Amino acid sequence: MTSLERTLTLTVPSATEHLALIREFVANVGSQAGLGDDDVAKLELAVDEACANVIEHAHGHDANKEVTVRATFDTATLRIEVVDEGEGFDPTAVPSTPVEQMVHDRRTGGLGLRVMKSLMDEVSYEILPGDRNRLRLLKRIQK
């Protein structure tokens, strides 16, 4: 049996005032894909964290740039792609300092990828010279 795949895309200016719209878009997509309420909440948080990082770190709050959230789903998986036009970063360079140590040292930042990985089934990041950066999040749909 083949599975029908659907793709929905939202592109907004890179500004924190659009995070609520992004969360609403992702929640609607998650519900359409058949995720339960808990998984929709996890998806919203992971995508919100990804987009907040893009707006702050990749785009430096430059609202002339855009954030694109592309959602593709079928009966088995929901895949989210967050596309930005920032310089990108090396996710392997993020120190794997234990959270307890970060709390003890009162460090902020560096938790975004960790949060996303804890909420999603797969997380990957693609940087291609001359192209936009793509953060990919995958959630398996439990039936």
Side-chain angles (χ1 to χ4, degrees):
M1 179 174 152
T2 60
S3 174
L4 181 63
E5 184 174 278
R6 294 185 62 194
T7 299
L8 302 167
T9 302
L10 173 69
T11 299
V12 296
S14 184
T16 55
E17 65 196 53
H18 298 291
L19 288 173
L21 178 62
I22 293 169
R23 287 192 301 272
E24 183 179 327
F25 171 75
V26 168
N28 284 332
V29 168
S31 293
Q32 286 183 38
L35 292 178
D37 291 344
D38 287 347
D39 283 338
V40 168
K42 289 176 182 176
L43 181 69
E44 276 185 83
L45 181 57
V47 175
D48 185 80
E49 182 64 28
C51 292
N53 283 342
V54 166
I55 292 166
E56 181 179 348
H57 301 295
H59 293 164
H61 295 280
D62 182 353
N64 292 316
K65 295 186 176 180
E66 295 179 333
V67 178
T68 297
V69 178
R70 183 173 302 116
T72 303
F73 63 91
D74 56 25
T75 57
T77 61
L78 169 59
R79 299 174 305 279
I80 300 285
E81 189 174 67
V82 177
V83 182
D84 72 74
E85 51 191 300
E87 291 186 22
F89 76 105
D90 179 2
T92 63
V94 176
S96 59
T97 309
V99 173
E100 297 78 15
Q101 184 66 44
M102 294 175 75
V103 170
H104 180 267
D105 296 343
R106 299 179 185 257
R107 286 184 43 204
T108 59
L111 292 172
L113 266 177
R114 211 179 295 207
V115 168
M116 287 181 255
K117 287 179 178 177
S118 72
L119 298 171
M120 302 298 292
D121 294 315
E122 293 178 22
V123 177
S124 63
Y125 192 68
E126 178 181 282
I127 304 169
L128 296 175
D131 199 1
R132 294 179 176 220
N133 306 308
R134 298 172 195 291
L135 174 68
R136 294 188 175 104
L137 309 167
L138 181 138
K139 193 74 176 167
R140 289 182 186 80
I141 299 170
Q142 308 293 324
K143 299 282 179 182

